[in-house]
Amino acid sequence: MKFLRDHESDLDDRTVHNVFETLNTFLRTREILIAGKILAELDYAEKPPKPYTKRELKEMFAAMDNEEKLLYGLFLNSGVCDGEMQNTEYADFNWDKHTLHGQPKPWRKFRLKGKSKKKSAKDRFIPVPTKLVWKIKDRMRERNAQPHDLVFPNGEGKPDGHFLRKLKAIAKKAVLEGAELHRFRKTYADTLHEEGVSVNTIRIPLGHESLDVTLAYLKGKDAESEEAHEQSNSSSLALYA
């Protein structure tokens, strides 16, 4: 804890919490339960995320290699969280319907976080741009990967916990500040809303349990009155797929 608090990169409270949460997960897989109580006492002020601007996206993706474009393009076009992306397998994709199945994976000791810490959120099917799905399918074929292999593993074939660190390195190269993974999720939600997708339709891929949560997430927009439109696959976000 002291190391994290005194870290030279001046980590914020949320990052400290996330790092410690990862440590706790690691310990729990080895039936060491000493860190849970400390994690429960770690608190941070939740800052509302802001979406990326078109300029930020253009400059950031211009600084990425093809592998990074695929990873962060999927973040941007699916709205999934870091933990979900770490545990995404090729089997989660429906190649014909062009969807990503967000689901718990007990075999990986991964669950979708619900309102209650003891309760998992419901799984859902997220539309993904066709072009992006094809690239992932080609990647699976090129790597001779199996359906339950991770799409973006670390060097040992396990979940990669460094997506944020890698994104910050890309942003530094692009001379941008404030790069956060959660901002992809916010950009995804706001873009769908601006394109006329209903709040209830947006709620489903985000995995929110109630409409009120999604309304709060889209706070500042006239989010109560739109009609549902099937525009997810033609979203302008697909430009970065």
Side-chain angles (χ1 to χ4, degrees):
M1 280 297 304
K2 185 177 188 304
F3 169 79
L4 291 174
R5 295 293 189 189
D6 298 341
H7 196 276
E8 60 181 8
S9 296
D10 190 25
L11 303 179
D12 60 27
D13 290 341
R14 176 169 186 153
T15 302
V16 171
H17 178 279
N18 290 347
V19 171
F20 204 85
E21 186 174 38
T22 302
L23 172 62
N24 184 46
T25 301
F26 170 80
L27 293 174
R28 284 175 61 85
T29 61
R30 286 150 181 80
E31 299 184 353
I32 302 172
L33 308 179
I34 61 174
K37 184 177 179 181
I38 301 173
L39 178 64
E41 295 173 354
L42 280 179
D43 197 11
Y44 57 88
E46 186 74 57
K47 295 180 181 179
K50 62 178 181 178
Y52 286 111
T53 65
K54 290 182 179 179
R55 181 188 67 82
E56 288 176 321
L57 289 174
K58 182 178 180 180
E59 294 181 4
M60 195 153 46
F61 275 83
M64 297 179 188
D65 60 28
N66 289 335
E67 177 75 1
E68 292 164 343
K69 287 178 181 177
L70 189 60
L71 168 61
Y72 296 109
L74 186 57
F75 265 115
L76 182 63
N77 283 277
S78 66
V80 301
C81 301
D82 188 11
E84 286 185 89
M85 189 67 77
Q86 290 182 33
N87 289 277
T88 293
E89 301 174 349
Y90 289 103
D92 293 322
F93 289 91
N94 185 308
W95 309 120
D96 298 320
K97 295 183 179 179
H98 307 140
T99 58
L100 170 61
H101 189 189
Q103 60 178 321
K105 297 182 175 69
W107 59 94
R108 294 189 179 278
K109 297 185 179 180
F110 171 74
R111 71 180 185 87
L112 299 175
K113 294 181 180 178
K115 270 186 167 183
S116 167
K117 290 185 178 180
K118 296 182 180 180
K119 181 182 178 183
S120 291
K122 294 180 179 179
D123 61 342
R124 74 262 191 223
F125 293 91
I126 306 167
V128 177
T130 301
K131 180 181 176 182
L132 189 52
V133 173
W134 286 349
K135 285 183 178 180
I136 293 171
K137 187 176 183 180
D138 288 342
R139 189 175 189 274
M140 180 183 181
R141 186 183 301 113
E142 290 166 1
R143 299 191 174 204
N144 197 27
Q146 300 303 307
H148 285 291
D149 287 347
L150 294 173
V151 181
F152 301 105
N154 63 16
E156 299 177 348
K158 298 179 180 179
D160 188 341
H162 298 288
F163 293 154
L164 176 58
R165 178 181 61 78
K166 293 175 180 178
L167 178 66
K168 287 184 177 293
I170 293 167
K172 184 176 181 180
K173 187 164 56 174
V175 196
L176 294 172
E177 296 182 356
E180 295 289 344
L181 293 173
H182 201 86
R183 292 183 65 190
F184 285 125
R185 182 172 166 88
K186 175 64 171 172
T187 306
Y188 170 81
D190 282 7
T191 301
L192 292 182
H193 178 258
E194 289 165 4
E195 292 179 349
V197 180
S198 73
V199 175
N200 192 50
T201 302
I202 296 171
R203 176 188 68 80
I204 296 171
L206 290 180
H208 291 161
E209 295 183 16
S210 75
L211 197 60
D212 288 341
V213 173
T214 309
L215 286 167
Y217 199 72
L218 296 169
K219 189 176 180 181
K221 297 179 178 294
D222 181 18
E224 290 84 358
S225 61
E226 7 31 35
E227 296 295 329
H229 295 287
E230 298 302 323
Q231 297 181 13
S232 297
N233 276 336
S234 61
S235 169
S236 58
L237 297 177
L239 294 171
Y240 302 98

